[in-house]
Amino acid sequence: QVQLAESGGGLVQPGGSLRLSCVASGSIFSINAMGWYRQAPGKQRELVAYGVSGGLTNYADSVKGRFTLSRDIGKNTVFLQMNRLKPEDTAVYFCKAEGRLNTTALWFSWGQGTQVTVSS
């Protein structure tokens, strides 16, 4: 019922930057939180950055100081600015959002993922 569309992935050299975007659409009453996870080949999916509407953003220790989450909840959009990228950042990045369908029902949704490859 709620869909997430990701964009902005690609190939970048170490030390470079990318900005990921995620837009939520569908029967949205409200969005409580939006953020990003990533999954490298052979690894478990891990949280990268996640922010509660009107509240704090949590970052993985490995990306603190390099990645920045920004949100435009009114536009149902979240961004991930990734700077000083490292080969270890190579992964598929997934957007996640959660919120309310109405006053009593909650929802959460995952995007399809966008590939980020950091290599020389």
Side-chain angles (χ1 to χ4, degrees):
Q1 191 169 359
V2 178
Q3 296 82 42
L4 304 180
E6 302 138 323
S7 62
L11 175 65
V12 65
Q13 292 186 340
S17 298
L18 288 172
R19 189 182 74 160
L20 306 183
S21 301
C22 175
V23 180
S25 62
S27 300
I28 301 170
F29 179 78
S30 67
I31 298 175
N32 295 338
M34 296 185 74
W36 296 88
Y37 291 70
R38 68 185 181 187
Q39 188 166 19
K43 302 293 185 180
Q44 297 294 314
R45 188 173 297 187
E46 64 174 346
L47 185 146
V48 177
Y50 210 76
V52 177
S53 298
L56 300 175
T57 298
N58 293 322
Y59 294 93
D61 289 341
S62 59
V63 308
K64 285 181 179 177
R66 300 188 298 118
F67 291 10
T68 302
L69 184 78
S70 60
R71 292 161 287 167
D72 190 342
I73 300 299
K75 301 295 183 181
N76 300 331
T77 301
V78 65
F79 305 94
L80 184 67
Q81 180 66 46
M82 305 186 295
N83 298 325
R84 305 193 304 279
L85 283 161
K86 305 175 180 179
E88 298 93 318
D89 297 317
T90 295
V92 178
Y93 284 71
F94 297 90
C95 181
K96 183 190 177 184
E98 56 194 284
R100 294 184 178 273
L101 293 171
N102 50 52
T103 57
T104 60
L106 301 174
W107 60 266
F108 72 91
S109 183
W110 290 92
Q112 292 297 306
T114 184
Q115 177 71 48
V116 172
T117 302
V118 184
S119 176
S120 60

